[in-house]
Amino acid sequence: MASDFEQRLHVMLPFSTRQGVWRRIAVLESEMTQVVRLMNDCAGAFRQVLAEPRELYLNVQQVRSLTVYIRWRRRGVRGQQAYCLLNSPAGQAVLLRQAPELQQCYRQFDHWALALNLAHSLRLNEIRRLKKYLKDLG
């Protein structure tokens, strides 16, 4: 019974040893670095595609929890740039002031930003779970 259960359990995990867990963490950390590079590339590309003045721009932000986001920010004086969700009432108001082709541009970059945020979050959360798993194993 125990042997059968162990075999079925190992099929569900992408590793079978502690070393395998650490290798998985290393892969995820490398992928997170790549995601952050893509976030910065995306923000830079938006600045190149849409010249000043722009009401919103993409900004990459790292918070204390090690989470990195690419988010829309309102133009403003340093420290006074509020974040804005494109699908919020404020974001929709900005979109409505744009020509249709610019609306499409904003939506495309928003789609990419959402995907990048998800990609980063999935990896960060898996790393946290794996480290907790190792800690709980003792």
Side-chain angles (χ1 to χ4, degrees):
M1 173 69 181
S3 173
D4 178 52
F5 183 77
E6 285 287 329
Q7 288 176 345
R8 291 186 351 214
L9 176 61
H10 284 295
V11 169
M12 296 292 137
L13 297 173
F15 48 80
S16 58
T17 64
R18 283 178 176 269
Q19 281 184 310
V21 176
W22 284 112
R23 279 193 300 272
R24 177 71 182 149
I25 289 171
V27 166
L28 292 165
E29 287 173 339
S30 173
E31 289 176 359
M32 274 191 356
T33 299
Q34 293 172 30
V35 170
V36 172
R37 274 194 213 114
L38 280 173
M39 288 176 170
N40 284 303
D41 291 348
C42 185
F46 182 78
R47 284 188 299 272
Q48 289 179 345
V49 168
L50 190 63
E52 289 284 359
R54 50 181 109 73
E55 288 186 65
L56 295 177
Y57 63 96
L58 285 169
N59 183 60
V60 178
Q61 176 195 28
Q62 181 170 346
V63 295
R64 281 187 226 165
S65 65
L66 301 180
T67 302
V68 179
Y69 299 102
I70 180 168
R71 298 166 52 181
W72 293 105
R73 242 186 154 160
R74 291 180 169 278
R75 185 180 60 199
V77 180
R78 187 178 174 156
Q80 300 299 313
Q81 310 98 319
Y83 288 103
C84 180
L85 295 173
L86 205 57
N87 64 353
S88 70
Q92 290 300 302
V94 169
L95 274 183
L96 290 174
R97 290 190 289 273
Q98 308 303 316
E101 58 275 359
L102 287 180
Q103 289 180 20
Q104 184 59 33
C105 179
Y106 272 99
R107 285 189 181 101
Q108 180 62 64
F109 276 93
D110 190 56
H111 172 75
W112 291 334
L114 291 171
L116 287 165
N117 287 338
L118 178 61
H120 187 275
S121 177
L122 290 171
R123 285 157 180 80
L124 181 60
N125 287 322
E126 186 175 347
I127 288 168
R128 287 177 177 159
R129 293 292 302 164
L130 290 171
K131 286 182 177 179
K132 182 176 182 337
Y133 172 75
L134 287 170
K135 181 181 173 191
D136 290 348
L137 283 177

